[in-house]
Amino acid sequence: MIKKIWPYARPYTGWIAAGVLCAAGEAIFELLIPLVMSDIVNIGIKTGDEAYILANGLKMVVMALISLALGVGSAIFSSIAGQNFGANLRRAQYAHIQGFAFSNIERFSTASLITRLTGDAHSMQMALTMGMRLLVRAPVMMISALILSIRISLQLSSVFLVAMPVLAVCVGTILIKTSPMFRSLQEKTDALNLVVQENLAGIRVVKSFVKAEEESEKFARRSRDLKATAESAFGMVVINMPIMMLIVNATLIAVMWIGGGLVHTGTLEAGDLMAYFTYIMQIMVSLMMVSMMFMMMTRSVACGKRIAEVLEEAPAITDDGAQPDAVVEDGSIDFENVSFKYSDKSAEWVLRDVDLHIRSGQTVGVLGGTGSGKTTLVSLIPRLYEAGEGTVSVGGRPVGEYTMRRLRDAVSVVLQKNTLFSGTIRENLLWGDPNATEEQLWAACRAACADEFIEKMPGGLDYDLGQGGVNVSGGQKQRLCIARAILKQPKVLILDDSTSAVDTATDAKIRRAFANELKDTTKLIIAQRVASVREADLILVMDGGRIAAQGTHEELMQTCDIYQDVYRSQQEGVSLDG
């Protein structure tokens, strides 16, 4: 885990080193102050030498100011290193996630990835920021104070031989018990975030089904689980403090008892006893700081392992076998004995023995029942998934020979679940072509029949859609997504049931626009309505992961029972509606 994460802190080793030196210097100057104070009591006050007292008092003030300056420097340097380290972790995770194939993303829930990008990264950031100060200052102060206290009185220091092992055993026991609890705590946080994300994303469904109470109870259950885990984890951490205070106070009493006797017998100077008390408090405070830091580090290790899991996840689809200069020349598509399943462990193939040849510029309709493999079939074309067996080719080359950027720039996909982003209509459309002119934007909108409602909106193309396009209807959202895809001027356009929310008249207009304005583009249209694909050059009928039949509408009406059944059922539905 450290080997995987440390490179993101390495650029700031200079700041880390400066912070460490400042923290060590701060501790050393603080430790020198009791020695000067001891001399004031033992010499200045004892002899009544006011000049000596003032000179050493001034020396204490200077030491305190230097310690303060070093402390401020340590805080600044540690903050700079920690903030940049956290930013690098978040950036690295986000960039790595962008390279994931669908199969990689499915290994982690969205809520879990968000927690790892935010909460886990913040925990690691705080561990570095606090660790630079506490894990340097506390050991330096503890060891130095221990040496100086032994120098003052070896007899008094024997008290530590009892106190420190007891403290070490207590802290070690607590760390062992809390380590798995913190891992569980982060997983419970993932589960809670998942409920929140699903509920907010599907708030309209929740309200329409009057499920607010059930969702609230689900949230409450997850929240109670998180609270119980947090109470267990932090309860163990809280126990650490009273145990430490008990040991500290017992040590102080023992030092008072033994030290008082030594002063009474003249074996130890009163000033030395005062200095000793200061050192013993510094030692105990340092021990508490170290133990608390270990608690924080225990949680940070759990968070670091979760971050490392994301960074170590190898993208399932890469450009390793690609030819950098390969360009998609046309929209021809070929499937040769292609089979696919989502996991190597799965017994069933989602697609089996698919052979398919589509000429560039053809319009291809894809029909089939739920789970027949329609979406999976078209997802192999832009390499959203990788074929398990066989070869998928576009433009006469296997898709693996193109870089993903080149391939996906040539293939526009309008998925079944339409996605718009916060911002204006213009900003969303420019995803298709960042350099598109006003005329090109409106041409794409007209082709997608989106101009009809955009012209009526305040601001037109500059109308703000809100988060996820909440200000437009499902059909309007689909048309905007189609317009965005058209702007790419792709070699292949894939529409995955993306006109399901528009009326049949608008659907027909969109198909006519495709025929007139995208003549050279290969168009694959997944649809539930026969009317949407009836005029296609080729219609595929999917069943059980295979192409059960392919041909024109007229050919399928003669040869394919499945197609005939679908057509008749829809015709009967139209008659009944009439």
Side-chain angles (χ1 to χ4, degrees), residues 385-457:
Y385 291 105
E386 193 83 280
E389 294 179 1
T391 304
V392 179
S393 300
V394 175
R397 286 177 178 265
V399 290
E401 293 185 7
Y402 300 108
T403 63
M404 281 183 279
R405 175 174 288 275
R406 287 279 177 88
L407 175 64
R408 291 171 184 174
D409 274 343
V411 180
S412 276
V413 182
V414 184
L415 296 171
Q416 194 169 10
K417 183 179 180 181
N418 299 285
T419 301
L420 295 173
F421 298 89
S422 55
T424 64
I425 292 175
R426 183 190 305 276
E427 289 169 343
N428 273 272
L429 293 178
L430 289 175
W431 276 57
D433 180 3
N435 301 313
T437 64
E438 190 84 3
E439 183 180 346
Q440 288 172 323
L441 289 172
W442 281 110
C445 291
R446 283 191 294 273
C449 295
D451 59 317
E452 301 170 359
F453 64 86
I454 294 175
E455 291 173 343
K456 299 176 184 177
M457 289 181 167

Side-chain angles (χ1 to χ4, degrees), residues 1 4-5 89 93 108-121 123-124 182-191 193 299-313:
M1 182 268 291
K4 192 70 181 179
I5 290 178
L89 272 184
Q93 286 188 87
F108 305 93
S109 71
T110 304
S112 178
L113 288 174
I114 291 172
T115 305
R116 294 169 199 244
L117 279 164
T118 54
D120 291 357
S123 180
M124 294 297 295
F182 282 125
R183 173 79 186 194
S184 178
L185 181 65
Q186 298 306 111
E187 292 172 354
K188 298 292 185 183
T189 304
D190 289 347
N193 287 343
R299 183 176 186 182
S300 298
V301 167
C303 294
K305 287 179 179 177
R306 284 160 50 84
I307 292 172
E309 285 175 0
V310 175
L311 297 175
E312 289 172 352
E313 175 75 9

Side-chain angles (χ1 to χ4, degrees), residues 252-362:
L252 285 173
I253 292 171
V255 169
M256 285 180 184
W257 182 267
I258 299 171
L262 294 175
V263 171
H264 181 69
T265 59
T267 309
L268 187 68
E269 293 286 346
D272 289 340
L273 183 59
M274 290 176 62
Y276 197 92
F277 271 122
T278 303
Y279 287 138
I280 197 171
M281 285 302 300
Q282 287 175 334
I283 291 169
M284 291 303 171
V285 169
S286 298
L287 283 171
M288 285 192 285
M289 288 166 59
V290 169
S291 68
M292 292 306 295
M293 194 61 215
F294 274 126
M295 300 296 175
M296 181 185 293
M297 293 299 291
T298 300
R299 183 176 186 182
S300 298
V301 167
C303 294
K305 287 179 179 177
R306 284 160 50 84
I307 292 172
E309 285 175 0
V310 175
L311 297 175
E312 289 172 352
E313 175 75 9
I317 300 175
T318 66
D319 287 335
D320 291 345
Q323 299 176 15
D325 298 330
V327 178
V328 180
E329 298 291 345
D330 58 53
S332 61
I333 301 169
D334 297 283
F335 283 69
E336 296 178 7
N337 300 315
V338 172
S339 296
F340 172 81
K341 54 185 175 182
Y342 289 108
S343 171
D344 293 336
K345 298 177 182 178
S346 299
E348 295 294 325
W349 292 90
V350 179
L351 295 175
R352 290 175 293 175
D353 304 322
V354 175
D355 275 294
L356 176 63
H357 303 281
I358 300 171
R359 295 192 307 276
S360 182
Q362 277 192 309

Side-chain angles (χ1 to χ4, degrees), residues 162-176:
V162 177
M164 293 184 71
V166 172
L167 193 59
V169 170
C170 292
V171 172
T173 302
I174 292 171
L175 287 175
I176 291 171

